[in-house]
Amino acid sequence: MGLNRSLEFSALFAAVLVCSCGGESSVEKVTVRDSAGVTIVESSAPLWEAGAGWTLSEQPILQVGAVDGPAEYQFESIEALLRLEGGAIIVADGGASEIRVYDEAGVFVDGAGREGDAPGEYRQLISVGAGPGDSLWAYDFGNRRFTVIAEHMRVARTVSVGGTLSSVSAVGRMSDGSFIIREFWSSGPRTGEIQLGLLREPAAVARLSSDGSQLDTIGLFPGREIYVSRPDGRAIMSSPLFAHTASAAMWGDRVFLGTQESFEIGLYAVDGRLERVNRVIGVDLSISEEDIEREIEADLARVPEARRPNVRRHLEEMHVPETRPAYGDLMVDGAGNLWAAENKRFPQLPRFWTVFDSEGALLGQVDMPERFRLYAAGDDWVLGVWMDGMDVEYVRVYSIRK
């Protein structure tokens, strides 16, 4: 979706949730019930009244980065960000294979890492997190391992993801030091003929012990939706337009998980028990021919002109899911509010995030600045990456006005 479609969908979302509910009270906007021991929190409209929601400051309260200058202030490809309690910022620069630390004023403090396979080196650095205690951790997709980092950026140990899980990403780390990981798609055995067309198989969400010695499955959830074709006898896997995938985020020692098929997100205990469901009703997820054409044009704009006819033909031949994904990435802020991004096809950026309070009720939406990708939020701030007109990356912090 382009900007116009983003605004159009945002307006439609608000209209469905607000206008259809008239002058409902907060109690009527949210219903809570028990279903076989699972708390269902169902929202029919946001609790924030029109014009009374959270907004971000017009200008960042902190910016780190430079077009020219010292190397430690130039970024190649930021993959993850973290803001610690005292205000220090941790940057995982995947392009430089480096983790950097900046103080609360944005001054470079320390950094470590380079490309490679030895401890403290990374092949594809994609995640960073804090805890337990004062430690940091980083996940290297390329080397399939976690690196635990102690004070002064010292590598305390590395923890490899063994077993048969494939295409593993990090969800977070628990208070006992174990890691929560998930597959992008199934690594289970395949038998018989390869299935063609749209395919979405179960993928594992698992718990890896702090030393990597034990891997326990939390549950199987629908993985990434793919399209399999055989144009010349070989099976080709592609990402279809409006593909669904699993979204996950840590909240303490529990995990939010959603399949994106409806605006519903579950809260799971580490043993796989479903505790709560955050649900929004009345959201239109239908896909029109205009939506499909808009997505095709957006994809074509990113490929050389000579390749566009073949790319268009391939995109038009792929089947499209019956509905668009209800949301994208998930994250939890310092107050326990759950944030769900508008679903956008990479490399497009979400223009708004939908926020639920710590009890599961829908609060409303928070709009993001242009060219800004959100990575983390606190009680009164958000942290992300902003790109200028030359695609130079800057770390930015905005304040939240509530």
Side-chain angles (χ1 to χ4, degrees), residues 55-61 380-382 397-401:
T55 59
L56 303 186
S57 57
E58 293 182 3
Q59 299 297 324
I61 58 175
D380 59 358
W381 54 265
V382 298
V397 180
Y398 291 88
S399 62
I400 302 176
R401 297 177 295 211

Side-chain angles (χ1 to χ4, degrees), residues 66 68-76 93 96 98 100 102 108:
D68 298 308
E72 58 266 27
Y73 292 98
Q74 297 184 47
F75 304 109
E76 295 184 33
D93 189 329
E98 186 177 19
R100 301 177 191 171
Y102 300 85
F108 177 75

Side-chain angles (χ1 to χ4, degrees), residues 231-272:
D232 56 1
R234 297 180 301 113
I236 303 296
M237 184 179 73
S238 306
S239 179
L241 303 174
F242 306 104
H244 301 75
T245 190
S247 299
M250 294 291 296
W251 183 28
D253 283 348
R254 292 179 288 177
V255 185
F256 279 109
L257 286 164
T259 66
Q260 302 181 353
E261 293 167 352
S262 62
F263 218 118
E264 182 172 304
I265 301 163
L267 179 62
Y268 292 82
V270 73
D271 61 3

Side-chain angles (χ1 to χ4, degrees), residues 6 124-125 136 163 171 179 208 217 248 253 275 278 322-323 333 345 349 352 360 366 372 375 383 388:
S6 170
Q124 194 172 355
L125 182 61
L136 300 173
V171 179
F179 300 94
L208 179 69
T217 300
D253 283 348
E275 296 183 346
N278 296 4
E322 293 184 0
T323 61
D333 67 21
R345 186 173 170 86
L349 299 177
F352 63 84
V366 180
F372 179 77
Y375 280 98
L383 170 68
D388 67 14

Side-chain angles (χ1 to χ4, degrees), residues 315-331:
L315 292 172
E316 290 178 342
E317 289 174 351
M318 282 197 294
H319 297 166
V320 174
E322 293 184 0
T323 61
R324 71 177 67 248
Y327 47 84
D329 291 336
L330 301 177
M331 72 172 191

Side-chain angles (χ1 to χ4, degrees), residues 27 33 82 139 160 199:
V27 174
R33 57 187 172 86
L82 177 68
Y139 181 67
S160 296
L199 180 63

Side-chain angles (χ1 to χ4, degrees), residues 83-305:
R83 196 182 194 205
L84 303 181
E85 187 173 340
I89 294 174
I90 313 299
V91 179
D93 189 329
S97 298
E98 186 177 19
I99 298 173
R100 301 177 191 171
V101 182
Y102 300 85
D103 67 16
E104 65 277 8
V107 177
F108 177 75
V109 175
D110 204 352
R114 61 183 181 184
E115 186 175 358
D117 304 317
E121 298 177 344
Y122 309 96
R123 284 292 175 190
Q124 194 172 355
L125 182 61
I126 63 170
S127 301
V128 66
D134 295 330
S135 66
L136 300 173
W137 59 266
Y139 181 67
D140 180 0
F141 182 84
N143 282 319
R144 289 173 56 88
R145 73 183 179 202
F146 289 90
T147 299
V148 179
I149 302 168
E151 60 181 351
H152 307 304
M153 302 300 291
R154 177 178 58 86
V155 174
R157 66 182 182 279
T158 60
V159 180
S160 296
V161 180
T164 60
L165 298 185
S166 66
S167 301
V168 173
S169 66
V171 179
R173 197 176 188 200
M174 299 185 62
S175 59
D176 64 358
S178 60
F179 300 94
I180 304 299
I181 58 178
R182 68 178 179 91
E183 293 181 293
F184 287 116
W185 48 69
S186 173
S187 59
R190 297 178 184 271
T191 58
E193 287 293 321
I194 295 176
Q195 183 178 342
L196 302 180
L198 282 176
L199 180 63
R200 192 179 189 194
E201 295 186 338
V205 176
R207 181 182 183 184
L208 179 69
S209 61
S210 59
D211 61 359
S213 61
Q214 185 173 347
L215 185 68
D216 299 318
T217 300
I218 295 174
L220 295 176
F221 302 85
R224 177 173 293 179
E225 196 164 25
I226 59 175
Y227 182 78
V228 182
S229 59
R230 186 176 278 164
D232 56 1
R234 297 180 301 113
I236 303 296
M237 184 179 73
S238 306
S239 179
L241 303 174
F242 306 104
H244 301 75
T245 190
S247 299
M250 294 291 296
W251 183 28
D253 283 348
R254 292 179 288 177
V255 185
F256 279 109
L257 286 164
T259 66
Q260 302 181 353
E261 293 167 352
S262 62
F263 218 118
E264 182 172 304
I265 301 163
L267 179 62
Y268 292 82
V270 73
D271 61 3
R273 177 172 44 89
L274 178 62
E275 296 183 346
R276 191 180 79 201
V277 173
N278 296 4
R279 179 182 295 155
V280 183
I281 60 175
V283 180
D284 183 8
L285 300 177
S286 61
I287 302 173
S288 68
E289 291 298 325
E290 290 77 12
D291 296 332
I292 295 172
E293 179 60 26
R294 193 176 291 111
E295 287 294 285
I296 290 176
E297 289 293 337
D299 275 16
L300 294 178
R302 294 190 292 271
V303 300
E305 188 170 354

